[in-house]
Amino acid sequence: MDHTTDTITLLKKSGALLEGHFLLSSGRHGDQYFQCALLLSRPERAAAALSGLIAQLKADMSAGKIRIDAVVGPAIGGIIVAYELGRQLGLPALFTERDDSGVMTLRRGFEIKQDMSILVAEDVVTTAKSSGECIKALEEAGAKIAGLACIVDRRAPGLEIDLPFYPACRLEAKTWAPDDCELCREGLPLVKPGSRKIK
């Protein structure tokens, strides 16, 4: 079994792969939702799910393809992912979070030195909106972005990541704009399982 298959198996075993009609944190509707917190609540599963990704990062670091000084995840979904990546890579693990106005920022005494090379870590990448907000905060603090890592890559076809990209697994999931959702037309109840406030 390859590492991607291992990660998908662990997601299913943890009950982290849900099917239904979901309001995603991107604002789009989807037929699957990845509640990665259920996977990450088991440290041994978190370590195993990210092992293939870690191996690739270590190989690229050794080959000089990527330099990483610290790992940063956007709250909430990226916090444990960043921690686990940092733990296995032997690097600092920080996180960004929203301030009272909803803007993603560094707080809690976290500091980024000028030109630090940062790996951004997420649980799930759909539109990369949270990652983009995290990257903006880090660049404003003087960081350089080395790449983006995640547990699940569920991007819609055509959405490109303009950075070195390290997903632990790729899963195709259908998503729709709210005004053009097949599941809404079928009358399926909409569930909002995420943590982000959506207007």
Side-chain angles (χ1 to χ4, degrees):
M1 203 161 35
D2 64 25
H3 289 298
T4 294
T5 306
D6 284 339
T7 300
I8 294 170
T9 299
L10 287 164
L11 283 163
K12 291 178 178 177
K13 188 174 181 180
S14 303
L17 176 52
L18 310 176
E19 296 185 335
H21 182 196
F22 302 103
L23 177 58
L24 307 175
S25 60
S26 63
R28 292 177 66 82
H29 293 195
D31 64 350
Q32 290 182 338
Y33 184 79
F34 299 95
Q35 186 54 276
C36 288
L38 294 173
L39 168 68
L40 298 170
S41 68
R42 299 284 296 273
E44 73 283 2
R45 290 182 182 174
L50 292 167
S51 62
L53 188 158
I54 293 289
Q56 184 62 59
L57 285 167
K58 285 182 175 178
D60 285 359
M61 289 168 75
S62 294
K65 292 181 179 178
I66 187 171
R67 186 187 112 220
I68 305 172
D69 298 319
V71 186
V72 178
I76 293 178
I79 294 176
I80 298 176
V81 182
Y83 172 83
E84 184 58 30
L85 290 173
R87 186 186 72 81
Q88 292 196 48
L89 293 171
L91 295 169
L94 317 175
F95 60 88
T96 57
E97 60 189 306
R98 298 185 188 284
D99 63 18
D100 292 338
S101 65
V103 175
M104 195 71 80
T105 185
L106 278 169
R107 302 170 78 173
R108 303 178 190 270
F110 291 149
E111 289 186 75
I112 298 293
K113 294 180 181 177
Q114 191 70 29
D115 294 332
M116 278 184 78
S117 188
I118 304 295
L119 177 69
V120 174
E122 271 276 32
D123 54 355
V124 181
V125 171
T126 303
T127 63
K129 183 177 179 182
S130 294
S131 306
E133 292 175 280
C134 179
I135 287 167
K136 183 174 184 288
L138 293 169
E139 288 180 334
E140 287 175 353
K144 292 182 177 178
I145 307 304
L148 173 62
C150 66
I151 298 174
V152 180
D153 170 16
R154 61 163 290 158
R155 290 170 299 147
L159 178 62
E160 297 298 323
I161 301 293
D162 192 25
L163 287 167
F165 187 41
Y166 296 86
C169 70
R170 165 98 176 133
L171 285 169
E172 295 283 350
K174 293 180 181 177
T175 68
W176 299 270
D179 58 356
D180 188 32
C181 176
E182 290 180 14
L183 302 180
C184 285
R185 287 194 288 271
E186 291 174 17
L188 295 178
L190 182 66
V191 177
K192 179 191 168 193
S195 59
R196 180 189 291 168
K197 292 180 180 177
I198 301 175
K199 295 178 182 178

